Amino acid sequence: MEPAAKQANKYAADDQEHNRLLAEMAEQSTDMISRHTPDNWEFIYASPAVEHLLGFSVDEIVGMSAYELYHPDDVEDFKRRAPSVSYERGTYTHTYRFRRKDGQYTWLESTSRSIRDPDSGELKEILVVSRDASHRINAEQTNRRLARVLESSSDLVAFVDLERVVTDLNEAARSVLALDCRKELVHLRDLFQPQSYQILIDEGLPAALCKGQWKGESEMVGAEGKLVPVMLEILAHRAVTGHVEYFSLVARDMSAQRALEAERYRYQTEVSHSSRLITMGEMASGLAHELNQPLTAIVNYVRGIERRTADTESVPVELIEKPLNKIAGTALRAGEIIRSMMDFTRKRQPHQQAIQLRSLLDDVIQLCSSQASAANVQLDNLISDRIPVVEADQIQLEQILLNLLLNGIEASTGNEQTEPAQVWIDAIEGEDQQVIIRVHDQGCGLPEDDLEQLFQQFYTTKADGLGMGLAISRSLVEAQGGQLWAEPASRGGAVFSFSLNQIDPD
């Protein structure tokens, strides 16, 4: 055989083998390979993958027009070469919904190429390779929905790469922080107050790297340098390989809540101060009596000195030294009563400090001793010196104790016994480094149905009561980090107890 003929036979054999391999690949491919008529896109051929993708057998789909299976909304897009169809180097790539045999629609991505007659250029058929795009389209739709949610969220959201460069900010973040990473380079430090940024570097990002997330309070820098308090969450996002690709920061603006808390705090302070003034007004007659005693004694001492020295030109110091000392001591006592009243009614910011309970209670008992005497009630301080020192605001603690003592005195008023009724205070150590202070009385007891109503504002069992004392007392106790509650006493009367945190001696 001539060499040329041999070469031709070799090329023919190679082409045959090449075509066989292509046919085998088409038969085995998970992508659907199909051929269509150029006019109405009828299926001339479909690879076996059609059954997996669309549920049709090859015999069922051959002869069907692709237009019959397009989702109605996608047919016109294809005909108009809408944005879902792209053209490059003689091929069209089209993403669309195709009806399966069961009537459900699935997303396909197809690449089409025209096959023309090499001599005449006449369009002969369309070769199409189609693959399942459902997962990708669903993921893209999910991402678009999430993007819309992020853009409309009132939370401040930022995405940060491993170099701490901000790659994206949502609308709320761009507005509040007056930054736009689409127009300028924004670093993570630009978002935060310096101390808060250092906490992120030292704690936040390392914790997110290790555990996947971190939460904490922080301060961001808003427009014109205004500090914005936020509740911040940092999330670390990992690739399939497991390494962290980027961080997302979600910050909830707490400005309104902080302003509300400040207003509530101011209101509580005003109410507490007003309550002290009301309490002092209710105690006015007793306090007047307390002051009248030392003042009367001072007048008597002075008149006694006058009588002794009336007919004497020269007065020995020894003669008047003792009454002068008594005058000084009595005046100091009166001054101490006035000082206690002024301290109690003074308007000031709360200040947490170490307090020795027994000595503080002695001062409070002295302040309301006149009311106790008038009501035939004996007040006893049974707090041991061994009770740990507690942390509280002194004036607020005095107000709590005074409210509870006056309630106990009033509850015990009208006792027909010749012996005084008793109201006493003791304290025990509780759990979790707390001290429990208890005020006991021998009054008529507590309502059986709902003890919690005692602490509701404007609830009172007194004919002329305001119903604010116990409600304010509970608020003040909670401001100290404790709790206030009531329970019936085993032998009648009531016990009001509240907890305070003790100070660790170490």
Side-chain angles (χ1 to χ4, degrees), residues 404-425:
L404 297 180
L405 282 174
L406 291 175
N407 281 351
I409 292 169
E410 187 161 350
S412 304
T413 300
N415 193 327
E416 298 179 357
Q417 299 179 4
T418 55
E419 294 294 325
Q422 287 186 309
V423 174
W424 69 98
I425 304 93

Side-chain angles (χ1 to χ4, degrees), residues 154-328:
S154 59
D155 289 343
L156 283 60
V157 181
F159 294 94
V160 181
D161 65 21
L162 299 184
E163 302 299 322
R164 300 173 193 162
V165 173
V166 179
T167 58
D168 198 9
L169 293 167
N170 73 338
E171 176 59 32
R174 292 194 295 271
S175 174
V176 172
L177 305 179
L179 293 171
D180 193 344
C181 59
R182 299 171 301 183
K183 300 178 181 178
E184 57 185 319
L185 180 65
V186 178
H187 193 275
L188 182 61
R189 73 169 68 88
D190 300 325
L191 274 56
F192 291 90
Q193 179 260 0
Q195 186 176 358
S196 295
Y197 175 69
Q198 195 59 47
I199 292 175
L200 294 190
I201 299 304
D202 295 340
E203 300 178 21
L205 294 178
L209 276 171
C210 179
K211 301 178 182 178
Q213 66 173 1
W214 177 85
K215 291 182 179 181
E217 295 185 7
S218 189
E219 281 190 321
M220 304 184 81
V221 180
E224 299 180 355
K226 180 182 177 182
L227 294 182
V228 182
V230 297
M231 183 61 67
L232 181 67
E233 181 173 8
I234 303 176
L235 300 174
H237 299 271
R238 298 181 181 276
V240 177
T241 56
H243 69 277
V244 173
E245 288 188 312
Y246 63 94
F247 298 98
S248 63
L249 284 69
V250 182
R252 176 150 296 177
D253 188 345
M254 304 296 287
S255 299
Q257 183 173 334
R258 293 289 185 268
L260 182 62
E261 290 173 355
E263 180 61 24
R264 186 183 297 127
Y265 176 77
R266 186 196 65 78
Y267 172 75
Q268 184 180 17
T269 301
E270 292 290 341
V271 170
S272 175
H273 181 239
S274 299
S275 174
R276 292 198 297 274
L277 294 177
I278 292 171
T279 301
M280 197 57 62
E282 293 174 347
M283 296 171 61
S285 59
L287 291 170
H289 177 71
E290 285 289 318
L291 286 172
N292 188 56
Q293 287 181 329
L295 292 176
T296 300
I298 290 172
V299 171
N300 290 336
Y301 288 136
V302 170
R303 287 176 177 173
I305 292 174
E306 288 177 342
R307 286 194 301 270
R308 291 187 182 186
T309 61
D311 301 326
T312 305
E313 294 182 1
S314 177
V315 181
V317 174
E318 294 81 7
L319 183 65
I320 62 174
E321 182 178 11
K322 185 174 181 180
L324 285 176
N325 287 336
K326 289 186 176 181
I327 289 173

Side-chain angles (χ1 to χ4, degrees), residues 404 407 436-441 445-456 459 470 474 477 483-490 493-499:
L404 297 180
N407 281 351
I436 311 298
I437 299 98
R438 305 181 297 190
V439 179
H440 308 255
D441 68 52
L446 299 172
E448 297 180 359
D449 52 348
D450 185 8
L451 293 180
E452 279 300 304
Q453 66 182 337
L454 293 171
F455 302 99
Q456 296 175 3
Y459 175 84
L470 286 175
R474 170 171 277 188
V477 169
Q483 292 181 312
L484 170 63
W485 66 95
E487 52 193 341
S490 57
V495 181
F496 285 83
S497 306
F498 64 95
S499 58

